[in-house]
Structure formats: C-alpha cells, structure tokens
Amino acid sequence: MKFSTQEDVEAPIEAVYLMLSDFERFERAAIRRGAEVQRTSKVHPPHVGAAWDVKFSLRGKARTIQIELVKAVAPDELLFDATSQGLETQMSVELVALSQKRTRVSIDLALTPKTISARLLVQSLKLAKSNLTKQFEDRVAEYGRFIEDHHSRTA
C-alpha cells in the first residue's frame, strides 16, 4: 500500500532540508505525544545509520517501531526504513528547488505486510485509503506551513 504527496514550500531547499533533518525536534514532538523514543545507534542523525526504537499506544494497544535512516543526501533526499510487528515501511522524502526561495517536498510512504495479521491491517487500511490519504496530505501541508513560518521568523 502506498501513499504519496507533494507540497510546495516558500523557503530555500537548504532551510527545508535542515528542518526535515532536525530529528531532535521530531523526537521531542513524539515524546510530548506520549511516545517513548530511544536512539539505538551510535551514529548521530542526520547521518546514515541513525536509528530509533519508538514505543507508543495506538487504539489501546502498545506498539513498537524500529526506524533507521538509510539514505541522506543533503539537501535533496532522506530515506527511512521502519519495521513494526510484521509491517515494513519505507518513507522517501525528496526535495527539489523550484527557485531560490521555493522548494517542492515529495513524500512517498510504502507499507509492506510480512505477516497475516499485518496483511489484515493493511487490508483494513485500504478500505479507508481515501480518508487516510487526505489526512496524510493535510499533515504534510501543515508541516510545510510550519517550515514556512519558521523560516520567515528566522530569516
């Protein structure tokens, strides 16, 4: 199952990449939402090999996900692999400079079930794909606006 979207952001590509590779900000945001985040690698992000274990509750059930940064090409691309209870996920973030002050952010998310229970989960997600796609696009657009606001305040 795949989700993809793109968003144009009013900020230079370098500023957008810096915000997207500010993993400490993402760690703090996850912790504020009740997740337990632990870095499991000695490599400090945004370098390839950086990895995290994240524990959180979803629909009343404890979940664990292992995330690894497998590719980081500044300022153009980030690629993550994640594994959680029989479900493998790959997320690709690509940046393209449209002009000196405008950047297109493309995000692709692919879910691959590896167990029967994960296949059932993905099948149920397919039934709600239009709603999930809309939520995914809204979150990416919201973060794009956050990047724009942050850049305009610091520029």
Side-chain angles (χ1 to χ4, degrees), residues 110-123:
L111 306 173
T112 306
K114 297 296 179 183
T115 63
I116 291 174
S117 61
R119 287 181 190 189
L120 291 171
L121 173 66
V122 170
Q123 197 63 31

Side-chain angles (χ1 to χ4, degrees), residues 28-101:
R28 287 189 307 269
I31 291 168
R32 279 194 306 271
R33 290 182 175 94
E36 293 178 36
V37 179
Q38 181 178 4
R39 277 195 202 148
T40 57
S41 64
K42 295 184 186 220
V43 177
H44 190 71
H47 299 296
V48 171
W52 301 263
D53 277 346
V54 182
K55 296 178 183 176
F56 58 97
S57 179
L58 180 66
R59 295 183 180 158
K61 189 173 180 184
R63 309 282 181 175
T64 303
I65 187 168
Q66 294 81 34
I67 305 168
E68 181 180 2
L69 178 62
V70 293
K71 187 175 183 182
V73 181
D76 300 312
E77 184 178 12
L78 294 166
L79 181 65
F80 300 90
D81 281 344
T83 306
S84 175
Q85 291 130 344
L87 186 64
E88 292 182 359
T89 306
Q90 188 172 58
M91 184 173 81
S92 169
V93 180
E94 294 181 10
L95 306 175
V96 176
L98 300 175
S99 69
Q100 284 190 330
K101 295 184 179 186

Side-chain angles (χ1 to χ4, degrees), residues 124-140:
S124 67
L125 293 176
K126 285 181 180 179
L127 296 173
K129 187 159 193 303
S130 62
N131 287 340
L132 293 171
T133 300
K134 176 81 170 106
Q135 289 176 355
F136 180 66
E137 291 170 350
D138 289 348
R139 290 280 175 104
V140 171

